[in-house]
Each structure stands twice: as structure tokens, then as C-alpha cells.
Amino acid sequence: MTERSDDTLARLAATVASRRGADPDTSYVARLLHKGEDAILKKIGEEATETVMAAKDGDAGRIVSETADLWFHCLVMLAHYNLTPADVLAELVRREGTSGIDEKALRKQRD
């Protein structure tokens, strides 16, 4: 049986959240959470850049690997803000069936 990707994300997010308050000397996630928002966001920026570079090179293996790194660090960011992948998935469901152009126009109206 194939595991659903949202199950994988939920399980990984739970693991990340469980590292909150763990010893920063023994847990990478705890260390990053302990360093705070700026360190987490800097890491996401680095991973996003590496993902773009892998895509520009057209290297499928690196694209997958760098995207996994980016998603992982996004999970750390979500945990920092007490959010979960379910929150993001709910937003994607809300947008489903709406043209990207229409959705962007609606956001501009709300802002």
C-alpha cells in the first residue's frame, strides 16, 4: 500500500515539533528552533536558492534532494509558528478550482 504524502508530512512535522525544547547539542532541529526566527528563515532562503540552482542545472536527483531539504526547513518554520502541514494543505484545498489569476486578484482586494 502506498503511503499518502500528507501522512508523511504530518509524521515528520510531529517529529519536528517534538524536538521543541530538546537539547540543542544533540538535535539539529532543536538547535535551529533555539536560534530563532532569523536562523530558520535564513536556512529556508539558502535551501530555496539551492533548489533553484538544482532546477537550473536540470539534475533530477538534486532537484528532489534540495526540494526535500527546503520542505524540511519549511516544516521547522511552521513548527516555530505553531502551524502544521494541515494548515498549508487546508489553504491549498481552499484555493483548489480557483484560477491562479483570480486567486491573486482576490488577495490584492483583501490587502
Side-chain angles (χ1 to χ4, degrees), residues 27-97:
S27 168
Y28 171 76
V29 171
R31 183 178 311 143
L32 199 50
L33 288 169
H34 180 74
K35 287 181 179 180
E37 177 183 65
D38 287 345
I40 295 166
L41 299 179
K42 179 180 176 187
K43 193 63 184 171
I44 289 173
E46 290 170 9
E47 297 302 342
T49 299
E50 290 171 6
T51 302
V52 169
M53 291 171 27
K56 290 289 283 179
D57 291 343
D59 182 335
R62 277 192 51 233
I63 292 169
V64 169
S65 177
E66 295 299 344
T67 300
D69 290 347
L70 177 59
W71 286 13
F72 174 80
H73 287 90
C74 286
L75 291 174
V76 174
M77 176 194 62
L78 289 171
H80 175 75
Y81 292 107
N82 295 312
L83 297 167
T84 68
D87 297 312
V88 178
L89 292 171
E91 176 62 10
L92 291 172
V93 167
R94 185 191 68 75
R95 294 180 186 185
E96 190 173 12

